[in-house]
Amino acid sequence: MAHLGVADLAGTAQAAYGRDLRDVARLSGGSKKGVYRLTLDDGTTGVAYVWRASEDYWPEHEPDPLFGGASGRDLFLTAHTALSEAGMCVPRLVLVDTDVVVVEDLGAEFLEKQLDDSETLERLWDDLEAMHRRTSPRYGRPGTLQPLDAPPVPDVVLERALGHLKVCSERVPRITAERDRLETLLRQRHAVIEPREEYGLIHGELGPDHVLVADGRPVLIDIEGVMFFDVEWEHVFLEMRFGPHYRPVAGLDPARTALYRLAQHLSLAEGPLRLLDGDFPHRDAMREIAEHNVERVLAESD
């Protein structure tokens, strides 16, 4: 996949800063959008998010109505507004264009390199707790909430997990052998969940690689997955990604947590396997993620 260069983003730099563009560097990590550091003729920098087909490494597939469309300029802007209103720190907008958004370059390190900084971590957990307290009687993206009579969140998660189980069982013999057991386990965990009528605001994919640290303040990035949802979904992911640095919270529903843990491991096995069907460059890392989550899926039991 060819990356964008100075000629491709010179107009964006002019529109954002009124200056000539000296250099462009594609930053690592993006699979649905391109993330580029723009270096201007005076040495200052900005960051451009680019949503174009040429920047999307994911093979074509049937879209997931709630999760699968978690990319795009409009989702980014809606999420940016929702997080800002919730008091979360996000990069300042510099320019909004048709398929490009330019934000400030904070020149900050990722939190994954500062996990021993207890003060920053505590600030993140406090910020997230406040964010999760922002609620809605309907779930979904802040700008397109699902109707009140939409299927309950656990039903949505179950159907999605069954789809991921089907795909994984077609590609991973060890899961093929355990498919019936795993399907039964998913349905058993789903069956004991009690109804809920309120959902919290979540990031949706918050690992330490999606948090920058600027002057000791956690700054959220890769925010297109922001939605109102069961907060247990977020906490399962946080526990997976932060490991011993995760701060548990009281009041989570253990039934939802159990279902969502298995569902997320299935998702994190199926997604990387599908991404490897394309030309995603960081292939070893994707294989490791898929293998790790296959093992975690198989380890789940009654």
Side-chain angles (χ1 to χ4, degrees):
M1 181 180 291
H3 296 160
L4 301 180
V6 171
D8 303 296
L9 293 171
T12 296
Q14 276 288 342
Y17 300 104
R19 304 198 69 94
D20 291 334
L21 184 60
R22 188 175 74 196
D23 188 36
V24 170
R26 195 181 199 276
L27 305 181
S28 63
S31 63
K32 292 185 178 181
K33 64 178 179 291
V35 184
Y36 292 88
R37 174 167 284 117
L38 311 177
T39 301
L40 307 175
D41 57 5
D42 64 351
T44 59
T45 59
V47 173
Y49 297 137
V50 182
W51 292 273
R52 294 175 187 169
S54 60
E55 301 291 334
D56 190 346
Y57 284 105
W58 287 86
E60 290 188 14
H61 65 287
E62 185 176 348
D64 183 319
L66 185 62
F67 294 89
S71 186
R73 186 204 69 164
D74 291 345
L75 278 177
F76 176 90
L77 294 174
T78 302
H80 192 280
T81 298
L83 291 174
S84 298
E85 291 175 348
M88 304 301 291
C89 191
V90 287
R92 178 179 57 85
L93 298 176
V94 178
L95 173 74
V96 176
D97 207 341
T98 304
D99 55 4
V100 179
V101 170
V102 178
V103 301
E104 63 178 328
D105 184 359
L106 294 168
E109 272 194 334
F110 287 103
L111 180 58
E112 61 186 344
K113 295 185 177 181
Q114 298 188 30
L115 285 174
D116 292 330
D117 183 345
S118 59
E119 185 175 339
T120 299
L121 270 177
E122 286 303 307
R123 188 164 188 175
L124 174 65
W125 302 135
D126 290 344
D127 285 352
L128 291 179
E129 189 174 346
M131 182 179 84
H132 293 160
R133 286 198 298 266
R134 292 184 72 89
T135 60
S136 168
R138 297 186 292 160
Y139 66 88
R141 308 294 175 197
T144 54
L145 294 172
Q146 299 296 303
L148 286 171
D149 60 353
V153 163
D155 291 11
V156 173
V157 171
L158 174 64
E159 290 306 310
R160 183 172 184 259
L162 291 172
H164 289 159
L165 176 60
K166 177 178 183 294
V167 172
C168 288
S169 69
E170 293 168 351
R171 305 182 66 151
V172 183
R174 288 172 296 159
I175 290 186
T176 307
E178 295 285 333
R179 179 176 177 179
D180 289 348
R181 179 183 72 83
L182 291 167
E183 179 172 342
T184 298
L185 189 57
L186 283 167
R187 294 189 183 280
Q188 288 174 339
R189 292 184 179 186
H190 170 266
V192 297
I193 293 176
E194 297 292 333
R196 175 178 285 172
E197 297 180 351
E198 193 170 69
Y199 307 96
L201 185 67
I202 69 170
H203 178 281
E205 196 181 11
L206 193 59
D209 57 336
H210 288 171
V211 183
L212 295 171
V213 181
D215 298 325
R217 179 70 190 268
V219 182
L220 304 191
I221 61 171
D222 285 319
I223 60 176
E224 293 95 313
V226 164
M227 58 181 169
F228 287 97
F229 210 64
D230 281 342
V231 296
E232 289 84 358
W233 183 264
E234 182 107 292
H235 279 280
V236 165
F237 194 82
L238 289 169
E239 187 174 8
M240 288 179 186
R241 294 291 286 109
F242 282 87
H245 301 283
Y246 168 68
R247 187 178 80 181
V249 300
L252 297 180
D253 177 7
R256 281 177 166 79
T257 299
L259 173 64
Y260 296 171
R261 180 177 294 111
L262 178 52
Q264 289 206 29
H265 283 309
L266 282 165
S267 175
L268 290 168
E270 187 271 348
L273 289 172
R274 183 158 43 87
L275 191 55
L276 288 167
D277 288 340
D279 58 354
F280 186 73
H282 309 295
R283 306 187 70 77
D284 289 344
M286 281 298 112
R287 289 191 188 94
E288 289 177 8
I289 292 171
E291 177 60 24
H292 171 75
N293 284 283
V294 165
E295 295 291 343
R296 294 298 301 269
V297 165
L298 294 172
E300 289 285 317
S301 60
D302 295 340

PDB file of all heavy atoms in Angstrom, residues 59-77:
ATOM      1  N   PRO A  59      -9.845  -6.109   4.643  1.00  0.00           N
ATOM      2  CA  PRO A  59     -10.522  -6.667   3.467  1.00  0.00           C
ATOM      3  C   PRO A  59     -12.018  -6.374   3.526  1.00  0.00           C
ATOM      4  O   PRO A  59     -12.592  -6.181   4.601  1.00  0.00           O
ATOM      5  CB  PRO A  59     -10.264  -8.180   3.593  1.00  0.00           C
ATOM      6  CG  PRO A  59      -9.137  -8.318   4.563  1.00  0.00           C
ATOM      7  CD  PRO A  59      -9.234  -7.138   5.489  1.00  0.00           C
ATOM      8  N   GLU A  60     -12.652  -6.348   2.350  1.00  0.00           N
ATOM      9  CA  GLU A  60     -14.091  -6.108   2.312  1.00  0.00           C
ATOM     10  C   GLU A  60     -14.823  -7.251   3.007  1.00  0.00           C
ATOM     11  O   GLU A  60     -14.466  -8.422   2.876  1.00  0.00           O
ATOM     12  CB  GLU A  60     -14.572  -5.990   0.864  1.00  0.00           C
ATOM     13  CG  GLU A  60     -14.107  -4.721   0.167  1.00  0.00           C
ATOM     14  CD  GLU A  60     -14.750  -4.552  -1.194  1.00  0.00           C
ATOM     15  OE1 GLU A  60     -15.741  -5.271  -1.457  1.00  0.00           O
ATOM     16  OE2 GLU A  60     -14.272  -3.728  -1.977  1.00  0.00           O
ATOM     17  N   HIS A  61     -15.863  -6.884   3.769  1.00  0.00           N
ATOM     18  CA  HIS A  61     -16.672  -7.898   4.432  1.00  0.00           C
ATOM     19  C   HIS A  61     -18.017  -7.281   4.760  1.00  0.00           C
ATOM     20  O   HIS A  61     -18.200  -6.061   4.686  1.00  0.00           O
ATOM     21  CB  HIS A  61     -15.987  -8.406   5.711  1.00  0.00           C
ATOM     22  CG  HIS A  61     -15.849  -7.347   6.764  1.00  0.00           C
ATOM     23  ND1 HIS A  61     -14.934  -6.316   6.668  1.00  0.00           N
ATOM     24  CD2 HIS A  61     -16.518  -7.154   7.936  1.00  0.00           C
ATOM     25  CE1 HIS A  61     -15.028  -5.541   7.731  1.00  0.00           C
ATOM     26  NE2 HIS A  61     -15.979  -6.017   8.504  1.00  0.00           N
ATOM     27  N   GLU A  62     -18.960  -8.122   5.129  1.00  0.00           N
ATOM     28  CA  GLU A  62     -20.291  -7.628   5.474  1.00  0.00           C
ATOM     29  C   GLU A  62     -20.186  -6.727   6.702  1.00  0.00           C
ATOM     30  O   GLU A  62     -19.655  -7.135   7.735  1.00  0.00           O
ATOM     31  CB  GLU A  62     -21.225  -8.803   5.773  1.00  0.00           C
ATOM     32  CG  GLU A  62     -22.663  -8.374   6.030  1.00  0.00           C
ATOM     33  CD  GLU A  62     -23.585  -9.565   6.222  1.00  0.00           C
ATOM     34  OE1 GLU A  62     -23.156 -10.698   5.922  1.00  0.00           O
ATOM     35  OE2 GLU A  62     -24.715  -9.352   6.664  1.00  0.00           O
ATOM     36  N   PRO A  63     -20.680  -5.506   6.613  1.00  0.00           N
ATOM     37  CA  PRO A  63     -20.490  -4.564   7.724  1.00  0.00           C
ATOM     38  C   PRO A  63     -21.255  -4.975   8.974  1.00  0.00           C
ATOM     39  O   PRO A  63     -22.342  -5.519   8.910  1.00  0.00           O
ATOM     40  CB  PRO A  63     -21.014  -3.235   7.156  1.00  0.00           C
ATOM     41  CG  PRO A  63     -21.971  -3.634   6.079  1.00  0.00           C
ATOM     42  CD  PRO A  63     -21.412  -4.905   5.489  1.00  0.00           C
ATOM     43  N   ASP A  64     -20.661  -4.712  10.109  1.00  0.00           N
ATOM     44  CA  ASP A  64     -21.286  -4.905  11.406  1.00  0.00           C
ATOM     45  C   ASP A  64     -22.040  -3.618  11.711  1.00  0.00           C
ATOM     46  O   ASP A  64     -21.444  -2.542  11.745  1.00  0.00           O
ATOM     47  CB  ASP A  64     -20.185  -5.161  12.446  1.00  0.00           C
ATOM     48  CG  ASP A  64     -20.743  -5.441  13.830  1.00  0.00           C
ATOM     49  OD1 ASP A  64     -21.704  -4.757  14.223  1.00  0.00           O
ATOM     50  OD2 ASP A  64     -20.204  -6.316  14.511  1.00  0.00           O
ATOM     51  N   PRO A  65     -23.364  -3.679  11.927  1.00  0.00           N
ATOM     52  CA  PRO A  65     -24.155  -2.443  12.044  1.00  0.00           C
ATOM     53  C   PRO A  65     -23.752  -1.540  13.200  1.00  0.00           C
ATOM     54  O   PRO A  65     -23.935  -0.331  13.128  1.00  0.00           O
ATOM     55  CB  PRO A  65     -25.591  -2.959  12.223  1.00  0.00           C
ATOM     56  CG  PRO A  65     -25.450  -4.374  12.659  1.00  0.00           C
ATOM     57  CD  PRO A  65     -24.198  -4.880  12.032  1.00  0.00           C
ATOM     58  N   LEU A  66     -23.194  -2.097  14.274  1.00  0.00           N
ATOM     59  CA  LEU A  66     -22.837  -1.266  15.419  1.00  0.00           C
ATOM     60  C   LEU A  66     -21.335  -1.076  15.546  1.00  0.00           C
ATOM     61  O   LEU A  66     -20.842   0.031  15.741  1.00  0.00           O
ATOM     62  CB  LEU A  66     -23.386  -1.878  16.711  1.00  0.00           C
ATOM     63  CG  LEU A  66     -23.191  -1.039  17.979  1.00  0.00           C
ATOM     64  CD1 LEU A  66     -23.918   0.296  17.852  1.00  0.00           C
ATOM     65  CD2 LEU A  66     -23.678  -1.794  19.200  1.00  0.00           C
ATOM     66  N   PHE A  67     -20.568  -2.157  15.398  1.00  0.00           N
ATOM     67  CA  PHE A  67     -19.128  -2.100  15.623  1.00  0.00           C
ATOM     68  C   PHE A  67     -18.340  -1.895  14.341  1.00  0.00           C
ATOM     69  O   PHE A  67     -17.297  -1.255  14.339  1.00  0.00           O
ATOM     70  CB  PHE A  67     -18.639  -3.402  16.275  1.00  0.00           C
ATOM     71  CG  PHE A  67     -19.163  -3.632  17.655  1.00  0.00           C
ATOM     72  CD1 PHE A  67     -20.359  -4.308  17.856  1.00  0.00           C
ATOM     73  CD2 PHE A  67     -18.463  -3.194  18.763  1.00  0.00           C
ATOM     74  CE1 PHE A  67     -20.845  -4.532  19.129  1.00  0.00           C
ATOM     75  CE2 PHE A  67     -18.944  -3.414  20.046  1.00  0.00           C
ATOM     76  CZ  PHE A  67     -20.136  -4.087  20.226  1.00  0.00           C
ATOM     77  N   GLY A  68     -18.810  -2.456  13.240  1.00  0.00           N
ATOM     78  CA  GLY A  68     -17.982  -2.539  12.036  1.00  0.00           C
ATOM     79  C   GLY A  68     -17.710  -1.220  11.359  1.00  0.00           C
ATOM     80  O   GLY A  68     -16.774  -1.100  10.583  1.00  0.00           O
ATOM     81  N   GLY A  69     -18.534  -0.198  11.604  1.00  0.00           N
ATOM     82  CA  GLY A  69     -18.323   1.078  10.945  1.00  0.00           C
ATOM     83  C   GLY A  69     -17.559   2.072  11.785  1.00  0.00           C
ATOM     84  O   GLY A  69     -17.687   3.282  11.604  1.00  0.00           O
ATOM     85  N   ALA A  70     -16.744   1.566  12.737  1.00  0.00           N
ATOM     86  CA  ALA A  70     -16.072   2.468  13.680  1.00  0.00           C
ATOM     87  C   ALA A  70     -14.879   3.157  13.039  1.00  0.00           C
ATOM     88  O   ALA A  70     -13.758   3.053  13.489  1.00  0.00           O
ATOM     89  CB  ALA A  70     -15.639   1.704  14.915  1.00  0.00           C
ATOM     90  N   SER A  71     -15.143   3.872  11.960  1.00  0.00           N
ATOM     91  CA  SER A  71     -14.108   4.658  11.306  1.00  0.00           C
ATOM     92  C   SER A  71     -14.790   5.727  10.463  1.00  0.00           C
ATOM     93  O   SER A  71     -15.945   5.568  10.057  1.00  0.00           O
ATOM     94  CB  SER A  71     -13.220   3.759  10.427  1.00  0.00           C
ATOM     95  OG  SER A  71     -12.135   4.496   9.908  1.00  0.00           O
ATOM     96  N   GLY A  72     -14.075   6.812  10.212  1.00  0.00           N
ATOM     97  CA  GLY A  72     -14.629   7.870   9.383  1.00  0.00           C
ATOM     98  C   GLY A  72     -14.598   9.222  10.064  1.00  0.00           C
ATOM     99  O   GLY A  72     -14.610   9.320  11.298  1.00  0.00           O
ATOM    100  N   ARG A  73     -14.564  10.253   9.246  1.00  0.00           N
ATOM    101  CA  ARG A  73     -14.459  11.611   9.760  1.00  0.00           C
ATOM    102  C   ARG A  73     -15.624  11.987  10.673  1.00  0.00           C
ATOM    103  O   ARG A  73     -15.433  12.569  11.744  1.00  0.00           O
ATOM    104  CB  ARG A  73     -14.396  12.591   8.580  1.00  0.00           C
ATOM    105  CG  ARG A  73     -14.140  14.028   8.986  1.00  0.00           C
ATOM    106  CD  ARG A  73     -14.649  15.014   7.959  1.00  0.00           C
ATOM    107  NE  ARG A  73     -16.105  15.017   7.915  1.00  0.00           N
ATOM    108  CZ  ARG A  73     -16.839  15.977   7.342  1.00  0.00           C
ATOM    109  NH1 ARG A  73     -16.245  16.982   6.753  1.00  0.00           N
ATOM    110  NH2 ARG A  73     -18.157  15.905   7.342  1.00  0.00           N
ATOM    111  N   ASP A  74     -16.854  11.643  10.245  1.00  0.00           N
ATOM    112  CA  ASP A  74     -18.013  12.058  11.026  1.00  0.00           C
ATOM    113  C   ASP A  74     -18.043  11.377  12.393  1.00  0.00           C
ATOM    114  O   ASP A  74     -18.384  12.008  13.405  1.00  0.00           O
ATOM    115  CB  ASP A  74     -19.298  11.765  10.243  1.00  0.00           C
ATOM    116  CG  ASP A  74     -19.437  12.655   9.021  1.00  0.00           C
ATOM    117  OD1 ASP A  74     -18.706  13.666   8.929  1.00  0.00           O
ATOM    118  OD2 ASP A  74     -20.260  12.330   8.145  1.00  0.00           O
ATOM    119  N   LEU A  75     -17.689  10.085  12.426  1.00  0.00           N
ATOM    120  CA  LEU A  75     -17.617   9.394  13.712  1.00  0.00           C
ATOM    121  C   LEU A  75     -16.566  10.028  14.603  1.00  0.00           C
ATOM    122  O   LEU A  75     -16.767  10.190  15.813  1.00  0.00           O
ATOM    123  CB  LEU A  75     -17.284   7.915  13.500  1.00  0.00           C
ATOM    124  CG  LEU A  75     -18.437   6.981  13.142  1.00  0.00           C
ATOM    125  CD1 LEU A  75     -17.917   5.568  12.902  1.00  0.00           C
ATOM    126  CD2 LEU A  75     -19.494   6.973  14.245  1.00  0.00           C
ATOM    127  N   PHE A  76     -15.436  10.383  14.016  1.00  0.00           N
ATOM    128  CA  PHE A  76     -14.366  11.023  14.787  1.00  0.00           C
ATOM    129  C   PHE A  76     -14.868  12.334  15.394  1.00  0.00           C
ATOM    130  O   PHE A  76     -14.657  12.593  16.588  1.00  0.00           O
ATOM    131  CB  PHE A  76     -13.156  11.287  13.892  1.00  0.00           C
ATOM    132  CG  PHE A  76     -12.038  12.021  14.577  1.00  0.00           C
ATOM    133  CD1 PHE A  76     -11.036  11.320  15.239  1.00  0.00           C
ATOM    134  CD2 PHE A  76     -11.987  13.411  14.582  1.00  0.00           C
ATOM    135  CE1 PHE A  76     -10.008  11.990  15.893  1.00  0.00           C
ATOM    136  CE2 PHE A  76     -10.965  14.090  15.229  1.00  0.00           C
ATOM    137  CZ  PHE A  76      -9.969  13.367  15.885  1.00  0.00           C
ATOM    138  N   LEU A  77     -15.528  13.144  14.606  1.00  0.00           N
ATOM    139  CA  LEU A  77     -15.970  14.446  15.092  1.00  0.00           C
ATOM    140  C   LEU A  77     -17.046  14.312  16.169  1.00  0.00           C
ATOM    141  O   LEU A  77     -17.036  15.044  17.171  1.00  0.00           O
ATOM    142  CB  LEU A  77     -16.481  15.290  13.924  1.00  0.00           C
ATOM    143  CG  LEU A  77     -15.426  15.685  12.888  1.00  0.00           C
ATOM    144  CD1 LEU A  77     -16.087  16.395  11.717  1.00  0.00           C
ATOM    145  CD2 LEU A  77     -14.348  16.572  13.512  1.00  0.00           C
TER     146      LEU A  77
END
